[in-house]
Amino acid sequence: MLSRTSQLASAIVLSASFLGTAYAQTPAATTPAPAKTPTAQQQRMADCNKSAEGKKGDDRKTYMSACLKGEAPAPAKQLTPQQQKMKDCNAKAGEQKLTGDKRKTFMSTCLKG
């Protein structure tokens, strides 16, 4: 029985010494690496993204593509006289809060006149 007790004591002492060595060898906590500086392409993407604020859909896609290529943005499309008239009449109908048949009648008259 004595030999079992001494074996157990030896095992505990050995375990403790291994644990101490393993713990001592663990590296100390390191500070995080500084943030990487963005590449030229990443910086261009960030700049274009910032300047494209407010644009949506195809307009944004076209703008981003041109910006990333380094091209000047395409000028805004000019409306035809009919499109401009439609836009103006639509705005007037919106101001008057017209809906349904009243709006249709108003738009028809406005576009003819």
Side-chain angles (χ1 to χ4, degrees):
M1 184 95 170
L2 192 53
S3 73
R4 254 193 181 167
T5 309
S6 63
Q7 284 176 347
L8 185 60
S10 296
I12 291 173
V13 169
L14 281 174
S15 297
S17 68
F18 284 130
L19 214 68
T21 339
Y23 182 74
Q25 290 177 355
T26 356
T30 58
T31 58
K36 293 181 183 179
T37 56
T39 64
Q41 180 64 18
Q42 289 170 329
Q43 186 61 47
R44 182 180 289 172
M45 183 69 163
D47 294 342
C48 289
N49 198 31
K50 211 177 263 187
S51 66
E53 257 180 44
K55 297 182 186 313
K56 293 182 181 181
D58 288 339
D59 187 31
R60 181 182 175 84
K61 255 189 225 180
T62 305
Y63 176 82
M64 287 296 287
S65 178
C67 183
L68 291 172
K69 290 177 187 173
E71 300 170 354
K77 288 182 180 179
Q78 291 290 333
L79 297 178
T80 65
Q82 180 64 25
Q83 289 172 327
Q84 187 61 48
K85 190 183 279 189
M86 182 73 144
K87 185 177 178 181
D88 294 340
C89 290
N90 198 31
K92 288 177 186 175
E95 288 171 5
Q96 295 177 21
K97 298 180 182 169
L98 298 174
T99 58
D101 288 336
K102 287 182 181 180
R103 184 180 186 96
K104 284 181 189 176
T105 305
F106 174 81
M107 288 295 287
S108 176
T109 308
C110 181
L111 291 171
K112 287 177 187 173

